[in-house]
């Protein structure tokens, strides 16, 4: 933009300067020529009264010598040689003598002025005055140079002023753009100092108002999430009491464990929601930088959060396997034995696993088998969840929150965001079991010293029906 403004100023000022320079240059040349010719005519007119008084060559030479540029003044007397070196063409001399008319014309090498003078006896003498070419253009080059320097100075000044104005506008625009980028990347403290033209200052003020309002709305939303989560503790208390009354039954320990796990999850949600707004690992301001949960075991690496995806998947699949047994769902687990470190916290990876497996339970009938697999590639870690259900009819819409029929789309959206923040993606296809096959690709985390020795084998784990 700055360069464009300078270019516009250069073009406009140059056109204006040229529109004045060309006529002025022609006018200067015309004035210099006119002044030289007029001076020659005046010299010829000054010598004419002398001819009316005398035709003595000596007197005429003496009178001509007193004039400026006397070497170019020539007197043509009738029936006598010319007094001086004549440069006038013979045709013009004859025309001036016979026609008795004043002649002022350009000839090769300059300008000639012929002034006829009628002598006693009806004779005609002609006064010739020659103006050389250099006299016709004397001072024109210097005048043109001065005008050109003035034009260059005006053009340069206008470009400099336009560049300074453009720099101010560009600086304000860049600050507003950088603040917008920071806010889009999750920095809720991003603000801009309004400066520059009135329009940009108003845009900066509007941006600050929007950012402040957005922060307030997010804070209210997070508080609402915490309050709603807290309200779930009442039915959890009732479940605790129910499990106490079931003491001694085979299912009481299992139900108590599930209730405790649910209470732990609620406590983690409340803690994260009450944490001051910050950018979480998944880039959406969901988790505070210092949030702690009962089951979080994040090991920060050199570049941020880090965890072993295979370990998290194993624990969360074991949790869901209990419910799978109750619904007679065959469940298999296949984990890589290589390091599967990803740049997310264990809570974020667990949220992805719970969302994908939870979708299997919600959208497939009891007894539908499913499988979970974690594979390691050269540049990524792949989490694959597939089932033998009806599948997903519109995979593209399934990745948009709220667009799937009969589903909010939240689970797949969580998986998509978790994959994208590590440089990965989500793929939906139909698996070999006939149902949906969802693959979440996580980018590998930055390497750090491993606490475990390398393992080169793979192990398959399954929970048989009716365990």
């Amino acid at each position: 933009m700055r360069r464009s403004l300078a270019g516009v100023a250069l073009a406009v000022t140059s056109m204006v300067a040229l529109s004045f320079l060309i006529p002025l240059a022609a006018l200067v040349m015309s004035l210099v020529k006119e002044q030289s010719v007029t001076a020659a005519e005046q010299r010829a007119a000054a010598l004419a009264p002398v001819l009316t008084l005398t035709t003595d060559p000596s007197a005429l030479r003496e009178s001509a010598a007193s004039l400026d540029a006397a070497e170019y003044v020539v007197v043509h007397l009738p029936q006598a040689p010319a007094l001086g070196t004549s440069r006038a063409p013979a045709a013009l001399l004859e025309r001036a003598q016979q026609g008795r008319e004043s002649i002022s014309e350009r000839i090769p090498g300059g300008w000639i002025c012929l002034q006829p003078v009628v002598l006693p006896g009806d004779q005609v003498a002609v006064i010739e005055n020659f103006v050389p070419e250099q006299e016709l253009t004397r001072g024109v080059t210097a005048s043109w140079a001065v005008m050109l320097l003035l034009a260059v100075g005006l053009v340069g000044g206008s470009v400099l002023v336009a560049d300074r104005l453009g720099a101010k506008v560009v600086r304000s625009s860049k600050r507003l753009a950088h603040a917008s980028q920071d806010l889009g990347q999750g920095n809720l403290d991003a603000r801009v100092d309004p400066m520059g033209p009135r329009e940009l200052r108003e845009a900066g003020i509007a941006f600050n108002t929007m950012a402040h309002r957005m922060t307030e709305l997010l804070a209210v939303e997070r508080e609402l999430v915490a309050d709603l989560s807290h309200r779930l503790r009442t039915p959890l208390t009732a479940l605790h009491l129910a499990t106490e009354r079931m003491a001694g039954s085979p299912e009481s320990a299992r139900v108590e464990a599930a209730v405790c796990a649910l209470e732990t999850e609620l406590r983690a949600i409340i803690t994260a929601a009450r944490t001051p707004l910050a950018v979480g690992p998944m880039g959406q301001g969901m988790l505070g930088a210092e949030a702690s949960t009962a089951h979080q075991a994040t090991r920060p690496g050199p570049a941020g959060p880090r965890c072993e995806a295979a370990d998290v998947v194993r624990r969360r699949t074991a949790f869901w396997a209990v419910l799978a047994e109750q619904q007679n769902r065959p469940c298999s687990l296949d984990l890589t034995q290589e390091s599967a470190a990803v740049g997310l916290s264990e809570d974020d990876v667990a949220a992805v696993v719970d969302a994908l497996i939870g979708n299997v339970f919600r959208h497939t009938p009891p007894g539908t088998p499913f499988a979970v697999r974690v594979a390691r590639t050269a540049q990524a870690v792949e989490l694959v969840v597939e089932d033998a259900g009806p599948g997903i009819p519109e995979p593209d819409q399934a990745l948009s929150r709220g667009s799937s029929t009969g589903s909010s789309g939240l689970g797949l959206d969580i998986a998509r965001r978790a994959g994208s923040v590590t440089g990965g993606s989500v793929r939906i296809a139909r698996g070999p079991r006939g149902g949906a096959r969802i693959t979440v690709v996580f980018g590998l985390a930055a390497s750090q010293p491993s606490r475990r020795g390398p393992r080169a084998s793979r192990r398959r784990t399954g929970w048989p029906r009716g365990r």
Side-chain angles (χ1 to χ4, degrees):
M1 182 178 180
R2 180 176 175 182
R3 186 176 300 175
S4 299
L5 289 176
V8 170
L10 175 63
V12 173
T13 313
S14 300
M15 292 175 62
V16 173
L18 287 176
S19 65
F20 281 96
L21 278 179
I22 295 176
L24 282 177
L27 180 61
V28 167
M29 177 174 284
S30 176
L31 287 176
V32 171
K33 172 188 171 183
E34 184 178 351
Q35 289 176 357
S36 301
V37 173
T38 301
E41 292 174 348
Q42 289 176 351
R43 286 192 294 269
L47 194 58
V50 179
L51 277 172
T52 60
L53 297 176
T54 180
T55 58
D56 182 43
S58 299
L60 293 174
R61 286 192 181 95
E62 184 177 353
S63 298
S66 64
L67 301 174
D68 294 335
E71 66 273 16
Y72 298 115
V73 178
V74 179
V75 179
H76 297 273
L77 295 173
Q79 315 250 328
L83 302 178
T85 304
S86 177
R87 297 173 178 79
L92 290 180
L93 279 174
E94 184 178 357
R95 176 180 157 191
Q97 288 175 347
Q98 294 181 0
R100 299 182 182 185
E101 62 173 315
S102 299
I103 299 176
S104 181
E105 291 185 6
R106 176 178 289 277
I107 63 173
W111 195 276
I112 194 72
C113 295
L114 300 177
Q115 179 64 44
V117 179
V118 180
L119 301 178
D122 200 28
Q123 293 182 333
V124 179
V126 178
I127 302 174
E128 173 190 336
N129 200 337
F130 176 72
V131 183
E133 189 69 34
Q134 60 268 23
E135 291 295 327
L136 295 175
T137 58
R138 182 183 297 275
V140 173
T141 303
S143 300
W144 284 1
V146 172
M147 290 189 294
L148 182 61
L149 288 177
L150 287 175
V152 171
L154 290 174
V155 172
S158 65
V159 171
L160 182 61
V161 172
D163 180 73
R164 292 296 90 198
L165 293 176
K168 191 174 182 180
V169 173
V170 169
R171 192 180 307 114
S172 303
S173 302
K174 284 185 176 180
R175 289 186 178 182
L176 184 58
H178 291 163
S180 301
Q181 292 175 356
D182 291 343
L183 184 63
Q185 293 173 357
N187 182 11
L188 300 180
D189 294 329
R191 298 294 186 272
V192 63
D193 183 17
M195 60 177 294
R198 180 174 59 87
E199 293 79 4
L200 285 177
R201 289 199 303 271
E202 292 178 353
I205 294 173
F207 173 83
N208 291 339
T209 303
M210 177 197 68
H212 181 69
R213 181 58 177 164
M214 186 176 68
T215 303
E216 290 181 345
L217 292 176
L218 286 175
V220 171
E221 182 180 358
R222 289 163 61 86
E223 191 66 24
L224 179 60
V225 170
D227 292 342
L228 293 176
S229 302
H230 191 273
R231 290 168 60 183
L232 292 177
R233 286 186 170 178
T234 300
L236 279 179
T237 303
L239 287 176
H240 274 299
L241 296 176
T243 56
E244 291 178 1
R245 289 195 297 269
M246 294 170 57
S249 64
E251 296 293 330
S252 61
R254 184 174 299 174
V255 174
E256 178 67 22
V259 171
C260 291
L262 182 57
E263 187 173 12
T264 300
E265 294 293 336
L266 283 177
R267 192 182 309 116
I269 293 174
I270 294 173
T271 302
R274 292 290 174 85
T275 303
L277 290 173
V279 178
M282 294 175 67
Q284 300 296 328
M286 295 178 61
L287 298 177
E290 300 297 329
S292 61
T293 62
H295 65 281
Q296 183 175 2
T298 303
R299 294 183 290 275
R306 177 190 179 96
C307 72
E308 284 290 335
D311 294 342
V312 179
V313 173
R314 176 178 50 78
R315 290 197 299 270
R316 298 312 302 164
T317 306
F319 171 81
W320 286 96
V322 178
L323 182 58
E325 290 181 10
Q326 295 177 357
Q327 296 187 358
N328 294 322
R329 292 178 181 267
C331 173
S332 63
L333 177 65
D334 184 11
L335 299 176
T336 178
Q337 299 303 307
E338 300 181 67
S339 175
V342 297
L344 293 172
S345 68
E346 291 193 1
D347 279 343
D348 293 331
V349 177
V352 174
V353 178
D354 291 343
L356 297 182
I357 299 180
N359 281 343
V360 174
F361 280 81
R362 279 190 294 271
H363 301 293
T364 61
T368 302
F370 69 96
V372 181
R373 181 168 61 89
V374 176
R376 163 72 185 271
T377 64
Q379 301 294 332
V381 175
E382 293 185 354
L383 168 62
V384 182
V385 177
E386 58 183 359
D387 58 67
I392 299 177
E394 298 179 349
D396 293 336
Q397 292 187 6
L399 290 174
S400 300
R401 183 182 299 195
S403 62
S404 300
T405 303
S407 172
S408 65
L410 177 60
L412 292 177
D413 185 67
I414 292 174
R416 179 187 59 79
R417 289 187 293 118
S420 62
V421 80
T422 62
S425 61
V426 174
R427 300 192 300 268
I428 300 178
R430 185 170 294 276
R433 298 172 180 265
R437 176 183 179 137
I438 301 174
T439 303
V440 183
V441 181
F442 301 103
L444 289 175
S447 60
Q448 67 176 8
S450 178
R451 298 183 179 181
R452 296 179 299 179
R455 292 173 294 179
S457 61
R458 296 173 60 90
R459 180 180 60 191
R460 296 183 61 88
T461 306
W463 288 272
R465 181 181 304 179
R467 174 182 175 185

